[in-house]
Amino acid sequence: MIRKILLGYDGSASSDRAYEFAADLSKRFGAELHVLAVARPPEFGDDVETRASIEHSRRHYDRALAALKGRAASEGMTAQFALAVGHPAEQLVRYAEQHGIDHIVVGHRGHTRFDRWLIGSVARQVIAYAHCAVTVVRRNGS
Amino acid sequence: MTHIWAQAALWLGLALIATLLSIWLKVTTALSEIIVGTIAQLIIGAALGGVLLAGDASWLKFLAGAGAIVLTFLAGAELDPAVFRRKWKEASAIGVVGFVAPFLGCAALARWLMGWSHDASWLAGVAMSTTSVAVVYAVMLEFGLNATEYGKVVLAACFVNDLATVLALGFLFAPFSMKTLVFIAVSIVVFIVLPWVTPRFFRRFGNRPSELEAKFLMLCLFAMGALAAWAGSEAVLPAYLIGMVLAGTVGKDHVLLRRLRTLTFGLLTPFYFIRAGSLVSIPALIAAPAAMLVMLIGKMVTKIIGVYPMTQVYRQPPREARYTTLLMSTGLTFGTISALFGLSHGVINQAQYSALVAAVVLSAVVPTLIANAFFLPHHLLDGESQQPKGPSPVGGEGEALARRAP
């Protein structure tokens, strides 16, 4: 039984697909939907720029979440929206633990080989560390 | 003028490459600018001679120097005065220890292990004593510690640490004379008057397309910088202090800060960081890498020895405490400013400068790599997560782990 679903959202096309999947899942199971966006600071930071980067990311995700909130409301969906700062996979897993989430849904952005080598895919890391079921929604045709 | 435009185009081209690299590698632009500057000097210097990339043109020095000054001001303006007033005793204790341990430790290593001169050793201590407030702030946000007493104390302590670094840089190598006394006296008056005058002046004449605020702030920064230089001190000292005293007013005007950042990151700091990188000698580093490694390890070990026990006073979980302490070893801006000050004032030679800047760059990378490798996200697996359970807290500066979106 799925009672609480967590969607990792970054405003990308793949996370929009993941939202559609999570919303459908939520309706079918009557589950609570949580949406989490994560503002990621630079991996190796420095003074003023790190702060500026976090502020910029927050503004970006605030706008993305506000848009998604409007879309959810127009579709009659109720969801809880939250914004965290840090490593996306870590924050998703942490949020899931804290809120008793039993299913995480994330999009797949199709990183390049270099991205995967450098930072790994968020989806892969969530799968590796999450305590609950994880669904990775791939883009159409990929 | 042709030569100047060509040189400016070359430097901004390098800045653009550095920015693209920083986006690609997900690192700060400052870090990639230093590295691009170092590599560009090596390649362009070998292929076309050092003249094309020469960083000693007066216009270039001005832009680089202005970058360091405005960047330092912005760093100071990030202080939270309310927290600092409430927690200044604890913050001062941790901040002073966080400064003194690496300062004395690295100076001793430079003097007795590497045989550097008296002044060069002190400068090495200053360059290695820094910390990066914003990096620690980001970690606090990740752990949701920024809203806790511990988080606030540590963040305020980072400001004290950097203040001590800037004071040491400003006074340690300055000849004490009547000029010093004049500089101190004028500074005190300015630091008392500015927080009163600035908001009133901005309310009366500001918020127009003429960008009066930026002109006024840069007037203050350059004038006090000139006074500091006249007294044999360093221009970033008053810049950091002006930032701190205006943190409660200008520091809260996010729109103004964003405009200043646009100016700083768009034009000024690329010249500063690329210049800092271009003065690094790769052959000198390869010939004697030990100095760089000694400084890097010395900084990390002394920071941990100095700061970690203080985190235990606040009964922080060991993993989070070690993570925070490790990331207090970062500090790119003040580290490079100190090293560049030493080189330009003849306190250190180019080989010593190269070792210090390389250690500073590595100190922005290595502690983060260690912290991520050993502390993230493993703590989630062994049930040691120390986050308070419950609904997402509210946003703003007091934001904890996650907050409700609009």
Side-chain angles (χ1 to χ4, degrees):
Chain A
M1 182 65 184
I2 298 174
R3 283 185 297 272
K4 287 185 179 180
I5 298 167
L6 172 62
L7 167 69
Y9 188 77
D10 65 1
S12 64
S14 62
S15 69
D16 278 331
R17 287 276 301 129
Y19 164 75
E20 286 159 16
F21 182 90
D24 186 43
L25 208 61
S26 167
K27 281 177 190 162
R28 284 172 194 268
F29 285 91
E32 213 173 274
L33 179 61
H34 294 244
V35 181
L36 180 68
V38 184
R40 185 174 192 167
E43 194 68 37
F44 306 116
D46 185 39
D47 264 319
V48 179
E49 201 182 331
T50 300
R51 190 91 161 208
S53 174
I54 291 171
E55 282 178 23
H56 181 267
S57 269
R58 276 177 166 172
R59 283 198 304 277
H60 169 78
Y61 286 115
D62 271 340
R63 283 196 294 270
L65 286 178
L68 186 67
K69 196 173 183 181
R71 180 182 170 185
S74 69
E75 292 169 358
M77 282 294 303
T78 51
Q80 295 188 45
F81 295 83
L83 176 61
V85 175
H87 187 285
E90 193 218 358
Q91 294 298 330
L92 281 167
V93 175
R94 184 189 286 253
Y95 185 97
E97 284 189 345
Q98 287 179 349
H99 293 81
I101 300 291
D102 41 29
H103 201 111
I104 301 175
V105 178
V106 288
H108 187 274
R109 298 192 64 177
H111 291 286
T112 61
R113 277 175 195 274
F114 179 75
D115 277 346
R116 283 200 292 272
W117 172 79
L118 186 71
I119 54 170
S121 137
V122 169
R124 197 170 55 183
Q125 288 174 323
V126 172
I127 291 167
Y129 294 110
H131 67 287
C132 60
V134 179
T135 298
V136 180
V137 180
R138 287 188 175 270
R139 290 176 300 182
N140 279 339
S142 59
Chain B
M1 282 301 285
T2 309
H3 180 69
I4 291 177
W5 294 129
Q7 207 177 7
L10 173 67
W11 278 67
L12 284 171
L14 291 174
L16 190 63
I17 291 169
T19 307
L20 290 171
L21 277 176
S22 74
I23 293 166
W24 196 34
L25 299 172
K26 295 181 170 58
V27 300
T28 49
T29 321
L31 190 62
S32 62
E33 281 168 351
I34 293 175
I35 293 166
V36 163
T38 305
I39 295 169
Q41 181 58 39
L42 193 71
I43 296 170
I44 297 174
L48 303 168
V51 182
L52 196 58
L53 199 70
D56 53 1
S58 58
W59 66 271
L60 208 147
K61 278 185 178 171
F62 165 73
L63 285 178
I69 289 172
V70 182
L71 194 62
T72 310
F73 164 78
L74 288 171
E78 287 177 353
L79 174 75
D80 185 340
V83 171
F84 191 74
R85 270 194 291 272
R86 275 198 296 119
K87 299 284 173 193
W88 69 271
K89 281 182 192 166
E90 300 95 318
S92 299
I94 299 178
V96 167
V97 173
F99 163 75
V100 168
F103 172 63
L104 293 181
C106 291
L109 286 171
R111 183 83 181 110
W112 290 308
L113 192 66
M114 297 187 295
W116 288 15
S117 71
H118 188 262
D119 278 356
S121 303
W122 284 129
L123 189 102
V126 172
M128 293 295 120
S129 67
T130 64
T131 194
S132 176
V133 180
V135 171
V136 177
Y137 170 74
V139 175
M140 293 292 173
L141 282 178
E142 282 192 48
F143 284 119
L145 292 172
N146 59 311
T148 65
E149 291 299 292
Y150 166 73
K152 287 173 180 173
V153 168
V154 169
L155 280 172
C158 290
F159 276 98
V160 175
N161 185 329
D162 278 347
L163 177 62
T165 298
V166 173
L167 286 171
L169 187 66
F171 289 117
L172 205 56
F173 305 98
F176 192 83
S177 63
M178 272 305 290
K179 288 180 179 179
T180 315
L181 290 176
V182 171
F183 170 53
I184 292 171
V186 173
S187 296
I188 290 170
V189 172
V190 168
F191 298 152
I192 291 170
V193 169
L194 265 186
W196 188 86
V197 166
T198 309
R200 286 165 178 79
F201 188 59
F202 285 1
R203 266 200 301 275
R204 175 72 182 83
F205 298 106
N207 205 19
R208 294 161 207 262
S210 52
E211 297 290 354
L212 172 134
E213 294 93 336
K215 287 168 188 160
F216 175 80
L217 289 173
M218 280 191 286
L219 165 68
C220 297
L221 294 174
F222 292 166
M224 289 305 294
L227 188 66
W230 172 75
S233 185
E234 166 60 23
V236 298
L237 169 59
Y240 192 65
L241 289 165
I242 289 173
M244 287 180 96
V245 299
L246 293 182
T249 54
V250 173
K252 287 181 177 168
D253 186 345
H254 295 284
V255 177
L256 173 58
L257 288 185
R258 277 207 289 279
R259 295 207 304 265
L260 285 174
R261 282 174 191 156
T262 304
L263 168 75
T264 311
F265 296 141
L267 179 66
L268 301 176
T269 52
F271 285 95
Y272 168 69
F273 285 115
I274 291 174
R275 181 166 185 261
S278 72
L279 294 168
V280 171
S281 164
I282 295 279
L285 274 179
I286 293 169
M292 166 187 72
L293 294 174
V294 166
M295 284 294 109
L296 173 67
I297 295 167
K299 176 174 185 175
M300 287 171 61
V301 170
T302 50
K303 276 278 182 199
I304 290 167
I305 290 172
V307 178
Y308 187 75
M310 301 298 286
T311 64
Q312 295 310 290
V313 172
Y314 286 88
R315 295 180 184 158
Q316 281 303 297
R319 273 184 194 275
E320 274 81 348
R322 281 197 293 268
Y323 191 85
T324 313
T325 310
L326 256 176
L327 291 190
M328 281 182 78
S329 303
T330 59
L332 205 58
T333 302
F334 290 112
T336 52
I337 285 173
S338 305
L340 200 53
F341 173 88
L343 184 67
S344 57
H345 286 75
V347 177
I348 52 174
N349 59 34
Q350 198 186 15
Q352 291 166 331
Y353 170 83
S354 303
L356 287 178
V357 171
V360 163
V361 167
L362 287 175
S363 79
V365 174
V366 175
T368 309
L369 285 179
I370 294 173
N372 286 351
F374 292 102
F375 305 114
L376 288 174
H378 301 57
H379 67 283
L380 295 168
L381 297 176
D382 57 20
E384 285 190 24
S385 178
Q386 300 297 323
Q387 279 301 307
K389 307 287 182 189
S392 304
V394 292
E397 283 302 296
E399 179 186 66
L401 172 68
R403 65 189 172 92
R404 300 287 178 208

